[in-house]
Amino acid sequence: MTDPGSEPLANLLREDRRFAPPAGLAASANVKADAYRAATADREGFWAKQADRLTWAKRWDKVLDWSDAPFAKWFTGGRINAAYNCVDRHVEAGRGDKVAIHWVGEPLDDTRDITYAQLQDEVCRAANALTALGVGTGDRVAIYLPMIPEAVVAMLACARIGAPHTVVFGGFSADALASRIEDCRAKVVITADGGYRRGTASALKPAVDEARTKTDKIEKVLVVRRTGQDLGEDGWDDATDIWWHDAVGSASPDHIPEAFDAEHPLYVMYTSGTTGTPKGILHTTGGYLTGVSYTHDAVFDLKPDTDVYWCTADIGWVTGHSYIVYGPLANGATQVLYEGTPDSPDPGRWWRIIQDYGVTLFYTAPTAIRSFMKQGDEIPGSFDLSSLRILGSVGEPINPEAYVWYREVIGGGRTPVVDTWWQTETGAVMMSPLPGVTAGKPGSAMSAIPGVGVDVVDDGGRSVPNGSGGYLVVTSPWPSMLRTVWGDDDRYVETYWSRFPATGERGAYYFAGDGAKKDADGDIWVLGRVDDVMNVSGHRLSTTEIESALVSHPKVAEAAVVGATDADTGQAVVAYVILRNEAGDGGPLIVKELSDHVRKEIGPIAKPRQIMIVPELPKTRSGKIMRRLLRDVAEGRAVGDTQTLADASIMDLIAAGQAAST
Ligand code: WTA
């Protein structure tokens, strides 16, 4: 492992734009500056206060039991039902008629508004149906659905009966589905005949049928009829398959939720590690719900009576779990849920949804922002986006230029941008500006939210001084932390807690796997995974830093940088660049121009060995650039496994371009 960032990250740290919170927002913000002091003075007391946001069937005895560290127990002795907190209590408080979900499906006229009372009815029926299928407390249920309201209902129904769910992204293959089902031994799968994407119905059920040939764990398959497509004679097995509308439709809408232990498993979410098989990240109930409810309220300044919130993530990722399902619903929000893609039927789809539903709080990923940036200002400019008041970003470092574009063009220059750093493992946002408190710096997640401790440390676990880089760590346990890797406690300890073990003076630190830098003010800039850090002639460089430099060039829309093995310099910088539409082919000197630009922004050491102008970048379905594949091309190897790519043909184009240019 390389030590990230001991070289000055000049171009990021030269970023000196600041955006203070709008005065009105600051005055009425849910969370003010004093929250930091209160949380630091009494961290457990602070989280106890946040847990009081929820409705507990039995109050906890102890806020945190860390006696078996790193295995944490939060709110021990407390009993709670997550679904009751996300649905019933809002109905009981007289808000049953409030819209919980504005669902925008893909055939454009396919929309549904679902109130909290309707959601309660559906969740209760589904809970009864699952019980009738033999799902008991503690049994695992796999959910493999498109972005339809039934996905939310299915998750909440599982939570309601204490059956941990594992949601598998609908774009994953039968193999990926089978291996997850096998790993957590899920006995029921909830799926659909298919879903819509870019105007066509794509089948899902056949992947479940195929998964059944690879694992014998599946006892029942509950199938939502979404597209109505023909499943074929072999596509239905009466012994296992049941239609959702039969089972759920005929079930009773009355269901009394049982209160479970605060540490009862809520879900398992699989995520890829740096190597090896995906890890099943386990989240439990009371602490997780406390974390997502508090952060959703604090980071988005949610005003449940007036805000319309929209997170564009898929429910198959942790962002969908924490910031579509559990956080917003625990807080009684009204939100948009959408099916499809941003560019179909036209590139104005998202902006039209914001305009039509009056979205006020919007949460998306830098990769989406950059691709909109590439299309220019005109498309968003033709919609009324004036309802927006806070914009969020998550998933990867946001380049300063993309941040500023997001703020100016989408947010009309009024909206704070909250750059939220967190992970599947952390369950909830860990670092973010607070929209009513923090003067945001473009490209920085700034600092830990109240109640959370993060630091940047060197190889020996010592806090680095301002102006230096190192490893990002979490310095004390937090309520929504993962509890273990499903079925593999050793891997949990080894992956997250052994890099910076407890010393005489302090407890172990949680190792996030990200490199970061503190600026002169002590604010934190996340630089990306430590495995994406390059070492060129003994100088450490961040892929993010060079990408940021490239994207700050007016002709560049998007860039991905990898460190390729080089006989002379150890590693060399290889950059893949997508140009903005208006830049055309960039002109004959484009490569030199970009190379000079990087040299100017960062220094000669960062100058790419090679710059390739490409039409697209290889991305996973969740939008992460697969640098591993780009490294294969840069190092002249056969391109490795492309099965998680959204579009595998992109690699053929890039590899052909590389061959032609060398
Ligand atoms: C990266 C997504 C910089 C980081 C919620 C982390 C970020 C990984 C940010 C987790 C951010 C996420 N700035 N990097 N604001 N947010 N990351 O598990 O490398 O899909 O470790 O969780 O995404 O990805 P995951």
Side-chain angles (χ1 to χ4, degrees):
M1 199 179 293
T2 48
D3 168 20
S6 58
E7 285 299 307
L9 293 167
N11 93 310
L12 280 181
L13 299 185
R14 241 189 274 128
E15 172 60 59
D16 57 5
R17 287 170 285 192
R18 300 282 179 279
F19 297 104
L25 201 160
S28 64
N30 292 351
V31 178
K32 303 235 167 68
D34 58 356
Y36 292 104
R37 275 191 300 278
T40 309
D42 176 9
R43 196 184 299 273
E44 289 182 25
F46 171 84
W47 283 117
K49 206 162 151 238
Q50 304 318 322
D52 270 332
R53 306 169 52 83
L54 306 173
T55 305
W56 296 76
K58 177 179 174 291
R59 208 179 157 76
W60 57 90
D61 306 316
K62 194 171 165 36
V63 176
L64 168 66
D65 178 357
W66 192 230
S67 59
D68 187 26
F71 298 93
K73 291 196 180 76
W74 281 86
F75 307 111
T76 59
R79 297 189 75 81
I80 188 165
N81 186 290
Y84 173 84
N85 272 276
C86 290
V87 184
D88 305 55
R89 66 173 180 150
H90 306 312
V91 179
E92 289 170 12
R95 293 192 293 273
D97 291 339
K98 183 178 172 14
V99 172
I101 295 172
H102 291 295
W103 179 65
V104 187
E106 225 215 42
L108 281 194
D109 52 356
D110 199 358
T111 62
R112 271 164 74 187
D113 285 347
I114 300 161
T115 64
Y116 275 96
Q118 290 166 334
L119 189 60
Q120 181 184 37
D121 186 277
E122 280 284 299
V123 171
C124 287
R125 286 178 195 273
N128 282 321
L130 287 172
T131 305
L133 288 180
V135 179
T137 305
D139 289 342
R140 272 80 61 203
V141 174
I143 298 176
Y144 186 61
L145 282 171
M147 286 290 284
I148 54 177
E150 285 80 359
V152 179
V153 171
M155 288 166 73
L156 292 171
C158 288
R160 194 171 184 99
I161 62 172
H165 52 72
T166 188
V167 182
V168 180
F169 175 56
F172 274 143
S173 64
D175 275 346
L177 176 64
S179 65
R180 285 158 173 76
I181 289 171
E182 187 67 30
D183 188 72
C184 72
R185 284 174 286 123
K187 63 196 266 190
V188 168
V189 181
I190 305 177
T191 189
D193 48 1
Y196 289 100
R197 201 179 151 83
R198 295 207 168 92
T200 41
S202 64
L204 268 184
K205 174 72 167 51
V208 179
D209 296 341
E210 195 187 330
R212 280 182 57 212
T213 67
K214 298 167 198 281
T215 168
D216 58 4
K217 301 293 181 299
I218 305 170
E219 293 171 18
K220 293 285 176 197
V221 181
L222 195 52
V223 188
V224 178
R225 183 181 280 154
R226 164 72 184 124
T227 56
Q229 60 202 120
D230 184 14
L231 296 174
E233 246 173 57
D234 300 332
W236 192 265
D237 178 348
D238 281 330
T240 50
D241 299 344
I242 308 113
W243 284 112
W244 170 280
H245 55 261
D246 287 339
V248 176
S250 65
S252 160
D254 298 319
H255 184 272
I256 296 171
E258 186 185 334
F260 300 105
D261 190 275
E263 283 297 334
H264 188 74
L266 182 62
Y267 68 82
V268 179
M269 172 96 248
Y270 285 85
T271 185
S272 38
T274 43
T275 53
T277 48
K279 300 174 287 217
I281 302 300
L282 174 67
H283 284 292
T284 60
T285 309
Y288 173 79
L289 212 56
T290 299
V292 296
S293 167
Y294 172 67
T295 50
H296 184 252
D297 178 87
V299 170
F300 289 99
D301 190 46
L302 177 79
K303 306 286 195 260
D305 292 336
T306 47
D307 276 321
V308 178
Y309 166 82
W310 182 22
C311 167
T312 66
D314 191 282
I315 262 168
W317 311 115
V318 75
T319 307
H321 283 51
S322 298
Y323 298 108
I324 293 178
V325 180
Y326 291 107
L329 294 177
N331 291 345
T334 292
Q335 69 178 317
V336 170
L337 181 77
Y338 101 112
E339 178 189 38
T341 54
D343 53 355
S344 176
D346 63 72
R349 175 141 194 242
W350 282 11
W351 319 128
R352 186 174 304 106
I353 292 175
I354 291 175
Q355 172 180 279
D356 290 354
Y357 289 90
V359 172
T360 57
L361 312 173
F362 182 62
Y363 196 22
T364 193
T367 182
I369 298 165
R370 288 192 301 264
S371 73
F372 287 123
M373 212 171 139
K374 185 171 65 172
Q375 293 160 2
D377 302 0
E378 208 172 292
I379 299 163
S382 62
F383 294 91
D384 177 4
L385 306 179
S386 61
S387 56
L388 288 169
R389 64 181 198 96
I390 295 172
L391 303 175
S393 170
V394 60
E396 48 177 326
I398 179 165
N399 318 72
E401 294 315 318
Y403 175 114
V404 171
W405 184 87
Y406 192 28
R407 190 189 147 92
E408 297 301 322
V409 177
I410 304 306
R414 309 173 314 275
T415 54
V417 172
V418 288
D419 174 9
T420 63
W421 176 84
W422 59 293
Q423 308 176 296
T424 304
E425 292 88 339
T426 69
V429 171
M430 303 295 275
M431 277 202 286
S432 172
L434 291 180
V437 177
T438 317
K441 303 176 181 176
S444 172
M446 302 301 288
S447 60
I449 59 154
V452 168
V454 303
D455 201 355
V456 181
V457 299
D458 65 16
D459 262 318
R462 288 170 297 261
S463 185
V464 303
N466 290 353
S468 303
Y471 302 103
L472 189 60
V473 295
V474 185
T475 54
S476 49
W478 65 102
S480 63
M481 63 193 279
L482 78 164
R483 298 302 195 260
T484 190
V485 173
W486 183 261
D488 198 345
D489 287 349
D490 291 346
R491 192 170 178 193
Y492 167 68
V493 176
E494 166 63 30
T495 308
Y496 303 105
W497 297 97
S498 59
R499 183 70 182 77
F500 299 107
T503 66
E505 306 95 68
R506 56 159 181 85
Y509 286 163
Y510 168 86
F511 174 55
D514 281 325
K517 180 97 180 171
K518 287 182 195 166
D519 67 17
D521 304 323
D523 290 319
I524 294 176
W525 300 66
V526 180
L527 302 172
R529 305 293 305 188
V530 282
D531 32 17
D532 287 338
V533 170
M534 298 167 292
N535 188 326
V536 180
S537 304
H539 296 268
R540 275 112 200 214
L541 292 168
S542 145
T543 52
T544 312
E545 183 193 18
I546 301 175
E547 286 166 8
S548 259
L550 285 164
V551 175
S552 74
H553 188 282
K555 289 185 183 167
V556 175
E558 197 164 356
V561 166
V562 298
T565 307
D566 185 280
D568 290 330
T569 57
Q571 278 187 311
V573 178
V574 176
Y576 297 82
V577 171
I578 304 180
L579 296 179
R580 292 192 186 208
N581 286 356
E582 61 266 32
D585 71 359
L589 296 176
I590 182 69
V591 168
K592 177 163 189 316
E593 211 175 306
L594 295 180
S595 177
D596 288 348
H597 182 70
V598 174
R599 192 188 168 98
K600 176 174 124 311
E601 287 287 304
I602 304 172
I605 183 63
K607 203 169 131 311
R609 178 182 78 185
Q610 187 180 17
I611 296 177
M612 294 249 323
I613 309 296
V614 294
E616 281 296 341
L617 291 169
K619 288 185 186 157
T620 62
R621 293 182 183 92
S622 64
K624 288 214 161 68
I625 295 170
M626 292 197 71
R627 291 193 177 71
R628 173 172 64 77
L629 301 179
L630 293 174
R631 218 172 286 131
D632 287 345
V633 173
E635 297 180 354
R637 270 193 307 278
V639 173
D641 186 359
T642 57
Q643 76 169 4
T644 51
L645 274 186
D647 180 356
S649 64
I650 285 166
M651 282 321 296
D652 297 335
L653 280 176
I654 293 176
Q658 176 99 13
S661 77
T662 45

